Each structure stands twice: as structure tokens, then as C-alpha cells.
Amino acid sequence: MQEEDYILFDAYISGSLDPESIQAFENRLESDADFNLAFNNYRQAEAFLEHKFKNEEKTQRFKENLEQISSGYFKKEATDKIKLRRINPWYYSVAAGVILLFGVVIAQQFSSPTYDDFANYGTISLTVRGSENDLQNKAEKAFNNKDYKDAEKYLSQLLHKDQDNLELQLYKAVSLVELNKYEEADVLYQTIIQSPSVYNNKAKWYLALSKLKQKKISESISVLGSIPEDAEDFESAQKLLKKLE
């Protein structure tokens, strides 16, 4: 597509063309497949941005920036024909960049979130300073190295000695999810959620991620909606919730 074509697209959509130009434009849509495809892509991008960002402050800034860039290269005449200002040779790079930006925005908005996008469990610390508990060391090292098979084994052994330890239950549940043992993980998560502990909201967040990994979107949304505003993971939960709804 030439730069004149994109200006022509905008003029057609905005109703700036005279009847003769409109007829010529529509005839070209029927006879030129590449032109037709480019026009449809342009119209979809414009419609998406208008719908998605209407009345949002950030979109206004976005449009103002685009207008500032384009004002140096484009000029529409209020006549029955559109005239083009002399354009610097490197305009093509600018135009391509704008079109690419449209594509990136659309791709980001329509792409489905995945478990890996949000499953960042960080590192854990089970050992107490001065402690020589070899099993705790092994469990901590395995989990932090993402060796969840060994982590689940060592955490189970620790829980055998301290079965009510909710912190150990939480990390074991994460390991089980990573090993696709969802039902066992759910039992642990629900136990933690139903207890008045500091791990309550963390368990909700991790449970929502487990449901996301299983493609159980409605269940994930339900759990995300139960995470309170004062929870550490509230912002992440809201971000995921907006992508899922």
C-alpha cells in the first residue's frame, strides 16, 4: 500500500470524499484484493482502538501523540480531492511503525492469559538460622530450583512430622500443581483458605492459577473475585481477572 491509500481509507471512513471519489473507492475495493484487505485491516484497527480506549485518558494521550507525529507528514484538504504534502523518504518507516503498533495493541488485548504468565512463586526459606535440619534444606533447595518432584517428596516428609503446618501445605500444593496433581493440590488449598491464617489469601491466588492452568476459566474467575483489596496479590489478581472476563 502507498501512503495515499491510508489517507484515502481515513477519508472514506470519515465521509470526506465526494460521490465520484466514493464510487471510485468502492470499485477499487471490488477489483483490488490487496487494497480490500488493507482497508479491512485498517478499519478493524481503528474500530478496535475507538471501542477499547474511548473516554480513557491514556488513549487521548495516545491519539495526541499520533496526531503530533502525523501532522508533520500528512495534510488533508477540505476539497473534493485529497492532496498530499511532500513527504520525507523515511516516512515509510514511521507509517510502518504506526501500523505495527496497532497490531501489537490488538494482539496484546486479544491474547489469552496463560498460567506461565502469572505463576511466579519466587523463592522460599524454610530453614531457621542456625538450624541443621537436612530435610528442610533439601525441600527448600528443590523448590527454589523448580525441582517440584523432589520438593513435593521432601515437603510431604516434613508434613508427616508437622501435619498442621500451613506454610508447608502451601508449598506442597504449588509443587502438586506443577506436577499436574490438581485434586491433591485443591484439598490443601481449600484447607488453607478455610483457616484464619496469613496464608489464606496467598492460597486463593495460587488456587486461581491452578484453575487457569487447567483451563477452568469460570472457576479461576470465581476465586480471583474472592481476593480482598488488602491482599498482597490483589493487583495481580485484578489484572488476570480483566484478561479472563
Side-chain angles (χ1 to χ4, degrees), residues 52 104-114 117-118 205 212 217 220-221 224 235-245:
K52 181 64 180 176
V104 170
V105 170
I106 292 173
Q108 289 178 339
Q109 294 298 324
F110 284 108
S111 60
S112 299
T114 67
D117 293 335
F118 291 87
W205 171 236
L212 175 62
I217 305 304
S220 181
I221 290 175
L224 289 169
E235 290 187 7
S236 296
Q238 289 298 302
K239 181 179 179 180
L240 176 55
L241 190 59
K242 289 178 181 179
K243 287 179 175 290
L244 292 177
E245 289 181 330

Side-chain angles (χ1 to χ4, degrees), residues 116-224:
D116 292 334
D117 293 335
F118 291 87
N120 179 16
Y121 298 111
T123 58
I124 65 173
S125 179
L126 298 175
T127 56
V128 179
R129 183 171 298 178
S131 172
E132 296 182 357
N133 190 320
D134 184 56
L135 193 55
Q136 285 183 336
N137 290 332
K138 288 180 178 179
E140 180 182 307
K141 183 177 180 180
F143 189 96
N144 292 339
N145 289 335
K146 302 186 186 302
D147 181 359
Y148 294 109
K149 183 177 181 180
D150 280 350
E152 190 271 331
K153 178 178 66 176
Y154 297 135
L155 288 165
S156 294
Q157 293 176 26
L158 287 169
L159 281 166
H160 184 70
K161 300 178 181 180
D162 186 8
Q163 61 182 1
D164 295 325
N165 189 313
L166 297 179
E167 181 182 18
L168 296 177
Q169 290 182 31
L170 182 68
Y171 300 142
K172 180 180 177 180
V174 170
S175 300
L176 289 169
V177 170
E178 290 289 334
L179 297 172
N180 299 327
K181 298 179 180 180
Y182 304 114
E183 291 185 4
E184 295 179 58
D186 279 1
V187 172
L188 292 175
Y189 282 138
Q190 290 297 345
T191 298
I192 301 169
I193 290 172
Q194 293 169 16
S195 66
S197 74
V198 295
Y199 302 106
N200 180 290
N201 291 325
K202 183 66 71 174
K204 291 179 181 178
W205 171 236
Y206 289 170
L207 176 59
L209 294 181
S210 174
K211 298 302 181 182
L212 175 62
K213 187 180 182 185
Q214 299 173 67
K215 310 298 184 184
K216 296 181 177 180
I217 305 304
S218 61
E219 293 183 37
S220 181
I221 290 175
S222 177
V223 178
L224 289 169

